[in-house]
Amino acid sequence: MDKTAKIRLYVDAELGAGQPVAVTKDQAHYLFGVMRLKTGAMVALFNGRDGEWQAEVIVANKRNAVLECRSQSKPLQMPPDLWLLFAPIKKARTDFIVEKAAEMGAARICPVVTDYTQSERMRQDRLQAHAVEAAEQCGGTYVPEVADLTRLDKMLENWPQDRHLLFCDETRVGEPATDLAALPRGPWAILIGPEGGFSPDEVDFLRGLDFAHSISLGPRILRADTAAVAALALWQRALGDWV
Amino acid sequence: MDKTAKIRLYVDAELGAGQPVAVTKDQAHYLFGVMRLKTGAMVALFNGRDGEWQAEVIVANKRNAVLECRSQSKPLQMPPDLWLLFAPIKKARTDFIVEKAAEMGAARICPVVTDYTQSERMRQDRLQAHAVEAAEQCGGTYVPEVADLTRLDKMLENWPQDRHLLFCDETRVGEPATDLAALPRGPWAILIGPEGGFSPDEVDFLRGLDFAHSISLGPRILRADTAAVAALALWQRALGDWV
């Protein structure tokens, strides 16, 4: 009988050999109501700190579920120190950006309000839940934090001086491509503008920042969600953990 | 008064100075019912062959709409000769792949059935409509053709011998990265597997093809839609029209 866990769950609890773990009501419903797991079944657990553990179902009860960690199946693998800053767009596409950022290995996801941002409402808890789900799905052992919505100008005023910023400058099409692999190593952030891009003031301001570098994403206008994945791919390949 | 067109439409008709253009019933409804354009308003038209033209509304009638081309606003810009092959997945994510492929500048979109393909139903006409909409949105002057669903093995049997194939090999994580910029120029295709990846037989077969090259997309398991955008970005940057 194959006892390797097919199901991966994010939990808050500490994980370690013999450690008992309680799951939330929703997770218990999923495990025992939807997936019909029985006592003895294995589930993979991760908490963003202790790697991935194979845990056995000890009490399979929707109200009082207990699993017990058996062995570590993956060590903690931190993503590179990369933030994704993006302006919230329509709900489905914002959800999508968060999902993709988690899959693509962003360490922190920061929604920012820019001059042309249309939507200034977002629910941090819902977006964080999307990041958790994406981490469960993609086999990661880390869940990126979704920060609260912040104004871009405020964020840049308090910018950590050792963190480089990559922004996608639509006016750079046709100029020679930045050699991404030649950019400095260290902490980075990628900034994706909203539909309509950055305002002329923002472009001037960004170009004047000594920690900011611009790239072009080609001659077609990409939607913000496409641009986010594309920029993350180029960065991971040149400076991140895609070897 | 700003007479530059905000609306872009794909049409079948020939475009050229003074050319009258009829639009479809749906387009007429959109232009005159939804957007409330009047006679004299400008609309940008493209047909995938003649570039983009600014056209003036001559008859603004939902049943009998006529526009007339005034001047060319963009020349035809063909994308690189790149096909995207992908295995259809859930409806929304398949739609998404087609939209992204058009934005990212694939010239042809080929849904293929692989060993682990779950969904073997797709409506070519609906996917083609998504490609048109993405082209309208992204400012492109070309619409990639969505081919009919084909079995991957049949397609590879009849493969054009000058076309290189890039496939994403999940087992290559940790190996040194392929230097994409050093790959040969010319016609290419990118192949994205379904959820669950390629079968071991397929991986063996693909590795044995002399026109096939593999890349890794990092240590996390990407969904097929994410992998499509990521691979297109890396290819466009190294071998395509993103300079």
Side-chain angles (χ1 to χ4, degrees):
Chain A
M1 185 177 123
D2 179 11
K3 295 251 293 186
T4 308
K6 297 263 186 300
I7 299 172
R8 298 185 87 237
L9 287 184
Y10 174 82
V11 294
D12 265 338
E14 245 179 81
L15 302 175
Q19 183 78 36
V21 177
V23 296
T24 66
K25 219 171 77 177
D26 285 352
Q27 288 174 328
H29 172 73
Y30 173 70
L31 292 178
F32 310 120
V34 180
M35 301 304 291
R36 313 250 166 186
L37 295 195
K38 308 285 178 220
T39 305
M42 300 300 283
V43 176
L45 303 178
F46 67 106
N47 61 6
R49 304 181 302 275
D50 301 319
E52 180 190 270
W53 285 77
Q54 300 294 315
E56 185 178 331
V57 175
I58 304 296
V59 183
N61 180 312
K62 284 189 227 175
R63 292 208 191 141
N64 176 30
V66 180
L67 290 85
E68 200 173 285
C69 291
R70 290 286 169 252
S71 59
Q72 196 187 42
S73 40
K74 279 185 196 174
L76 175 64
Q77 188 176 28
M78 294 291 290
D81 187 358
L82 174 66
W83 298 354
L84 178 71
L85 278 57
F86 75 98
I89 40 178
K90 282 180 210 155
K91 182 171 167 296
R93 291 191 187 263
T94 297
D95 293 352
F96 182 88
I97 289 181
V98 169
E99 173 189 304
K100 289 335 183 195
E103 275 182 63
M104 299 285 296
R108 190 156 182 258
I109 300 169
C110 308
V112 293
V113 178
T114 65
D115 287 351
Y116 293 166
T117 300
Q118 299 276 324
S119 164
E120 304 201 2
R121 284 192 306 176
M122 53 149 255
R123 279 188 47 195
Q124 190 277 338
D125 58 339
R126 215 171 46 81
L127 294 183
Q128 186 66 64
H130 277 288
V132 167
E133 204 184 308
E136 289 175 342
Q137 160 90 23
C138 78
T141 51
Y142 178 80
V143 178
E145 179 207 359
V146 180
D148 285 321
L149 188 65
T150 314
R151 288 182 53 95
L152 176 63
D153 50 5
K154 298 281 172 215
M155 193 161 185
L156 292 175
E157 270 173 31
N158 300 302
W159 194 254
Q161 284 303 315
D162 64 340
R163 185 171 295 273
H164 300 280
L165 181 72
L166 192 66
F167 73 102
C168 306
D169 188 344
E170 288 171 4
T171 65
R172 291 210 47 202
V173 173
E175 291 179 30
T178 308
D179 181 5
L180 291 172
L183 290 174
R185 297 303 199 261
W188 272 90
I190 291 173
L191 169 62
I192 301 293
E195 318 258 317
F198 297 109
S199 70
D201 283 355
E202 283 171 335
V203 172
D204 281 350
F205 184 71
L206 287 165
R207 286 188 180 159
L209 297 171
D210 55 6
F211 54 85
H213 308 260
S214 72
I215 48 163
S216 152
L217 296 176
R220 289 156 296 270
I221 302 160
L222 302 186
R223 287 180 192 264
D225 53 352
T226 321
V229 179
L232 285 162
L234 297 182
W235 188 92
Q236 286 287 15
R237 171 87 187 182
L239 299 164
D241 65 6
W242 289 17
V243 289
Chain B
M1 185 178 125
D2 179 11
K3 296 252 292 187
T4 309
K6 298 264 185 300
I7 299 171
R8 297 185 88 236
L9 288 183
Y10 174 80
V11 294
D12 264 337
E14 246 178 81
L15 302 174
Q19 183 79 34
V21 177
V23 295
T24 66
K25 217 170 81 178
D26 284 353
Q27 289 174 328
H29 172 73
Y30 174 70
L31 293 178
F32 310 119
V34 181
M35 301 305 290
R36 313 253 167 182
L37 295 195
K38 307 288 180 219
T39 305
M42 301 300 283
V43 176
L45 303 179
F46 66 105
N47 61 6
R49 304 181 303 275
D50 301 318
E52 179 189 272
W53 285 77
Q54 299 295 314
E56 185 177 332
V57 176
I58 304 295
V59 183
N61 180 312
K62 284 190 225 174
R63 292 207 190 141
N64 177 30
V66 180
L67 291 84
E68 200 173 285
C69 292
R70 289 285 171 253
S71 60
Q72 197 188 42
S73 40
K74 280 185 194 173
L76 175 65
Q77 188 176 27
M78 294 292 290
D81 186 359
L82 174 66
W83 299 353
L84 178 71
L85 279 56
F86 75 99
I89 40 177
K90 282 179 209 155
K91 183 172 167 294
R93 290 190 189 264
T94 297
D95 293 351
F96 183 86
I97 289 180
V98 169
E99 173 188 304
K100 288 337 183 194
E103 274 181 65
M104 298 286 295
R108 191 155 183 257
I109 300 169
C110 308
V112 293
V113 178
T114 65
D115 288 352
Y116 293 165
T117 299
Q118 299 275 324
S119 163
E120 303 201 3
R121 283 192 307 174
M122 54 150 253
R123 278 188 46 195
Q124 189 278 337
D125 59 338
R126 215 171 47 80
L127 294 182
Q128 186 65 64
H130 277 288
V132 166
E133 204 183 309
E136 288 174 343
Q137 160 90 22
C138 78
T141 50
Y142 179 80
V143 178
E145 179 207 357
V146 180
D148 285 321
L149 189 64
T150 313
R151 288 182 54 93
L152 176 63
D153 50 5
K154 298 282 171 214
M155 194 161 182
L156 292 175
E157 271 174 30
N158 300 301
W159 193 255
Q161 284 303 316
D162 64 340
R163 186 172 295 273
H164 300 280
L165 181 72
L166 192 67
F167 74 102
C168 306
D169 188 343
E170 287 171 5
T171 65
R172 291 211 47 203
V173 173
E175 291 180 29
T178 308
D179 181 4
L180 292 173
L183 290 175
R185 298 304 198 261
W188 273 88
I190 292 173
L191 169 62
I192 300 293
E195 319 260 317
F198 298 108
S199 71
D201 284 354
E202 284 172 334
V203 172
D204 282 349
F205 184 72
L206 287 166
R207 285 187 181 160
L209 297 171
D210 56 7
F211 53 84
H213 309 259
S214 72
I215 48 164
S216 153
L217 296 176
R220 289 156 296 271
I221 301 160
L222 302 186
R223 286 181 193 262
D225 53 353
T226 321
V229 179
L232 285 163
L234 297 182
W235 188 92
Q236 286 287 14
R237 172 86 187 182
L239 299 164
D241 66 6
W242 290 17
V243 287

PDB file of all heavy atoms in Angstrom, chain A residues 174-185:
ATOM      1  N   GLY A 174      12.904  48.586 -27.840  1.00  0.00           N
ATOM      2  CA  GLY A 174      13.802  48.944 -28.937  1.00  0.00           C
ATOM      3  C   GLY A 174      15.194  49.329 -28.470  1.00  0.00           C
ATOM      4  O   GLY A 174      16.142  49.293 -29.244  1.00  0.00           O
ATOM      5  N   GLU A 175      15.316  49.681 -27.178  1.00  0.00           N
ATOM      6  CA  GLU A 175      16.664  49.947 -26.657  1.00  0.00           C
ATOM      7  C   GLU A 175      17.374  48.625 -26.403  1.00  0.00           C
ATOM      8  O   GLU A 175      16.730  47.595 -26.265  1.00  0.00           O
ATOM      9  CB  GLU A 175      16.575  50.732 -25.340  1.00  0.00           C
ATOM     10  CG  GLU A 175      16.068  52.150 -25.531  1.00  0.00           C
ATOM     11  CD  GLU A 175      15.979  52.886 -24.200  1.00  0.00           C
ATOM     12  OE1 GLU A 175      16.767  52.587 -23.288  1.00  0.00           O
ATOM     13  OE2 GLU A 175      15.123  53.769 -24.088  1.00  0.00           O
ATOM     14  N   PRO A 176      18.696  48.646 -26.332  1.00  0.00           N
ATOM     15  CA  PRO A 176      19.401  47.385 -26.070  1.00  0.00           C
ATOM     16  C   PRO A 176      18.944  46.801 -24.729  1.00  0.00           C
ATOM     17  O   PRO A 176      18.710  47.529 -23.777  1.00  0.00           O
ATOM     18  CB  PRO A 176      20.871  47.800 -26.001  1.00  0.00           C
ATOM     19  CG  PRO A 176      20.945  49.166 -26.569  1.00  0.00           C
ATOM     20  CD  PRO A 176      19.598  49.791 -26.422  1.00  0.00           C
ATOM     21  N   ALA A 177      18.804  45.484 -24.679  1.00  0.00           N
ATOM     22  CA  ALA A 177      18.307  44.829 -23.473  1.00  0.00           C
ATOM     23  C   ALA A 177      19.311  44.940 -22.333  1.00  0.00           C
ATOM     24  O   ALA A 177      20.513  44.812 -22.539  1.00  0.00           O
ATOM     25  CB  ALA A 177      18.018  43.360 -23.765  1.00  0.00           C
ATOM     26  N   THR A 178      18.797  45.203 -21.135  1.00  0.00           N
ATOM     27  CA  THR A 178      19.616  45.150 -19.931  1.00  0.00           C
ATOM     28  C   THR A 178      20.159  43.732 -19.774  1.00  0.00           C
ATOM     29  O   THR A 178      19.407  42.775 -19.929  1.00  0.00           O
ATOM     30  CB  THR A 178      18.733  45.458 -18.702  1.00  0.00           C
ATOM     31  OG1 THR A 178      18.037  46.672 -18.943  1.00  0.00           O
ATOM     32  CG2 THR A 178      19.545  45.566 -17.431  1.00  0.00           C
ATOM     33  N   ASP A 179      21.427  43.600 -19.464  1.00  0.00           N
ATOM     34  CA  ASP A 179      21.983  42.266 -19.211  1.00  0.00           C
ATOM     35  C   ASP A 179      21.660  41.891 -17.768  1.00  0.00           C
ATOM     36  O   ASP A 179      22.346  42.299 -16.832  1.00  0.00           O
ATOM     37  CB  ASP A 179      23.500  42.283 -19.453  1.00  0.00           C
ATOM     38  CG  ASP A 179      24.102  40.903 -19.215  1.00  0.00           C
ATOM     39  OD1 ASP A 179      23.334  39.944 -18.958  1.00  0.00           O
ATOM     40  OD2 ASP A 179      25.335  40.785 -19.282  1.00  0.00           O
ATOM     41  N   LEU A 180      20.582  41.126 -17.611  1.00  0.00           N
ATOM     42  CA  LEU A 180      20.097  40.841 -16.256  1.00  0.00           C
ATOM     43  C   LEU A 180      21.137  40.108 -15.422  1.00  0.00           C
ATOM     44  O   LEU A 180      21.277  40.367 -14.224  1.00  0.00           O
ATOM     45  CB  LEU A 180      18.814  40.001 -16.327  1.00  0.00           C
ATOM     46  CG  LEU A 180      17.595  40.733 -16.881  1.00  0.00           C
ATOM     47  CD1 LEU A 180      16.449  39.760 -17.083  1.00  0.00           C
ATOM     48  CD2 LEU A 180      17.171  41.840 -15.931  1.00  0.00           C
ATOM     49  N   ALA A 181      21.876  39.205 -16.067  1.00  0.00           N
ATOM     50  CA  ALA A 181      22.835  38.406 -15.300  1.00  0.00           C
ATOM     51  C   ALA A 181      23.966  39.280 -14.746  1.00  0.00           C
ATOM     52  O   ALA A 181      24.655  38.888 -13.806  1.00  0.00           O
ATOM     53  CB  ALA A 181      23.388  37.281 -16.161  1.00  0.00           C
ATOM     54  N   ALA A 182      24.149  40.477 -15.334  1.00  0.00           N
ATOM     55  CA  ALA A 182      25.214  41.370 -14.868  1.00  0.00           C
ATOM     56  C   ALA A 182      24.741  42.296 -13.745  1.00  0.00           C
ATOM     57  O   ALA A 182      25.527  43.054 -13.191  1.00  0.00           O
ATOM     58  CB  ALA A 182      25.734  42.209 -16.040  1.00  0.00           C
ATOM     59  N   LEU A 183      23.457  42.243 -13.399  1.00  0.00           N
ATOM     60  CA  LEU A 183      22.948  43.089 -12.320  1.00  0.00           C
ATOM     61  C   LEU A 183      23.466  42.566 -10.980  1.00  0.00           C
ATOM     62  O   LEU A 183      23.802  41.392 -10.853  1.00  0.00           O
ATOM     63  CB  LEU A 183      21.419  43.092 -12.332  1.00  0.00           C
ATOM     64  CG  LEU A 183      20.767  43.832 -13.517  1.00  0.00           C
ATOM     65  CD1 LEU A 183      19.249  43.642 -13.492  1.00  0.00           C
ATOM     66  CD2 LEU A 183      21.107  45.318 -13.500  1.00  0.00           C
ATOM     67  N   PRO A 184      23.519  43.435  -9.980  1.00  0.00           N
ATOM     68  CA  PRO A 184      24.068  42.996  -8.689  1.00  0.00           C
ATOM     69  C   PRO A 184      23.226  41.902  -8.037  1.00  0.00           C
ATOM     70  O   PRO A 184      22.021  41.849  -8.211  1.00  0.00           O
ATOM     71  CB  PRO A 184      24.041  44.271  -7.839  1.00  0.00           C
ATOM     72  CG  PRO A 184      23.182  45.236  -8.555  1.00  0.00           C
ATOM     73  CD  PRO A 184      23.172  44.850  -9.988  1.00  0.00           C
ATOM     74  N   ARG A 185      23.855  41.012  -7.290  1.00  0.00           N
ATOM     75  CA  ARG A 185      23.159  40.029  -6.466  1.00  0.00           C
ATOM     76  C   ARG A 185      22.642  40.728  -5.214  1.00  0.00           C
ATOM     77  O   ARG A 185      22.960  41.888  -4.956  1.00  0.00           O
ATOM     78  CB  ARG A 185      24.116  38.892  -6.079  1.00  0.00           C
ATOM     79  CG  ARG A 185      24.654  38.084  -7.251  1.00  0.00           C
ATOM     80  CD  ARG A 185      23.507  37.503  -8.053  1.00  0.00           C
ATOM     81  NE  ARG A 185      23.858  36.390  -8.913  1.00  0.00           N
ATOM     82  CZ  ARG A 185      24.096  36.482 -10.217  1.00  0.00           C
ATOM     83  NH1 ARG A 185      24.079  37.644 -10.827  1.00  0.00           N
ATOM     84  NH2 ARG A 185      24.346  35.403 -10.925  1.00  0.00           N
TER      85      ARG A 185
END
